[in-house]
Amino acid sequence: VQLQASGGGLVQAGGSLRLSCAASGRTFSRYAMSWFRQAPGKEREFVAGIGSSGESTYYADSVKGRFIISRDNAKNTMYLQMNSLKPEDTAVYYCTSLSTAYTTTYPGTYWGQGTQVTVSS
């Protein structure tokens, strides 16, 4: 299984970015997916998750109302639309594929390489 995250970059506070995670190597539509992030000196933390069909989503309180997770099963791709970005959102963002169809805050089985998001104040 390969996960390729992209879309990170440098943005000013209040700006937006859209991350993508392209998956291959397994039947994408069968499994839930999540985004995690890790800031310097901090542990990796759950950001958002989405069920296999895309109908169920779950967000960390810190991003609720600002981030939107989605997926396109026809394209084997998951997205994270990040709006109203804050300096504390600065981190490496990782996509992960779970071994269940239902979203959870637990780390997934497979991980992408991460994409850096930097929010300047």
Side-chain angles (χ1 to χ4, degrees):
V1 178
Q2 291 189 331
L3 302 174
Q4 181 72 40
S6 62
L10 173 64
V11 63
Q12 289 188 334
S16 298
L17 280 175
R18 188 194 195 202
L19 305 183
S20 298
C21 176
S24 62
R26 70 191 317 204
T27 305
F28 181 77
S29 60
R30 289 185 180 177
Y31 301 100
M33 300 282 293
S34 298
W35 288 98
F36 278 70
R37 67 186 181 187
Q38 187 166 20
K42 295 187 177 181
E43 293 185 353
R44 192 173 296 189
E45 65 174 0
F46 171 83
V47 175
I50 187 165
S52 61
S53 68
E55 292 183 354
S56 63
T57 58
Y58 188 75
Y59 297 91
D61 288 344
S62 59
V63 306
K64 199 173 297 182
R66 300 187 297 122
F67 291 10
I68 301 171
I69 188 172
S70 62
R71 64 190 295 162
D72 185 337
N73 285 347
K75 295 182 178 179
N76 290 353
T77 303
M78 174 179 67
Y79 305 97
L80 185 68
Q81 178 67 42
M82 305 187 295
N83 301 319
S84 302
L85 283 161
K86 304 175 181 180
E88 51 263 44
D89 294 318
T90 295
V92 177
Y93 283 71
Y94 299 90
C95 55
T96 180
S97 179
L98 281 66
S99 294
T100 68
Y102 303 100
T103 185
T104 171
T105 60
Y106 291 103
T109 304
Y110 302 99
W111 292 82
Q113 85 290 357
T115 184
Q116 175 71 48
V117 172
T118 303
V119 184
S120 63
S121 57

